[in-house]
Amino acid sequence: MARIAGVNIPSDKPLFASLQYIYGIGLPKALEICSKTAIDKMRRVFTLTEKEILTIRELIDSEYQVEGDLRRDVGMSKKRLMDLGCYRGLRHRRNLPVRGQRTHSNARTRRGRAKAIAGKKG
């Protein structure tokens, strides 16, 4: 199992799929990394040499913001909005959808489980 950016990526999957286990790397960035390092995207991770893994690790460290740094920046952005007291910040603070989605009948993943209201039936 290869360790890149502090994450153990699965070795039985193709390289482009394994790179997506790193926070901040999706499909487009994974394919971009494969093309920049000139490694076939369909190669399984366990077939990579230490030198190839090292080149991938160095490329990610130098050109991309991933894992801890990215999580910290996202958290700081949310905190800034909350401190400003703007509408988006208030939505973050109340744990409600931020981008205008309806909440009357949906948004259960954001709002949590439905709370029973006494005397509602009837």
Side-chain angles (χ1 to χ4, degrees):
M1 196 172 262
R3 190 165 177 85
I4 299 174
V7 177
N8 292 328
I9 60 171
S11 56
D12 58 330
K13 295 189 176 197
L15 180 61
F16 79 95
S18 293
L19 286 174
Q20 293 179 56
Y21 279 73
I22 301 169
Y23 182 80
I25 295 181
L27 181 61
K29 282 187 183 176
L31 295 174
E32 186 179 307
I33 290 166
C34 292
S35 65
K36 280 184 179 179
T37 56
I39 300 171
D40 182 29
K41 65 182 179 183
M42 294 306 291
R43 275 185 62 191
R44 305 281 172 165
V45 175
F46 69 87
T47 64
L48 296 175
T49 64
E50 284 298 319
K51 186 180 176 192
E52 290 171 329
I53 292 172
L54 187 65
T55 57
I56 293 169
R57 193 177 296 136
E58 288 173 350
L59 178 74
I60 289 173
D61 287 342
S62 64
E63 293 189 23
Y64 299 98
Q65 189 176 26
V66 292
E67 282 301 321
D69 296 335
L70 183 58
R71 287 181 202 270
R72 186 171 36 259
D73 278 3
V74 170
M76 290 300 289
S77 297
K78 287 179 183 178
K79 188 174 180 336
R80 181 183 57 83
L81 291 170
M82 287 188 247
D83 291 344
L84 283 173
C86 65
Y87 183 75
R88 280 174 59 202
L90 295 175
R91 302 298 282 185
H92 276 297
R93 196 178 301 154
R94 293 180 186 152
N95 205 22
L96 291 167
V98 178
R99 297 184 179 181
Q101 297 92 333
R102 65 181 286 129
T103 58
H104 180 74
S105 61
N106 290 331
R108 274 291 147 220
T109 54
R110 186 79 179 151
R111 288 168 47 204
R113 278 190 67 171
K115 294 162 190 84
I117 300 171
K120 177 89 186 220
K121 279 192 176 174

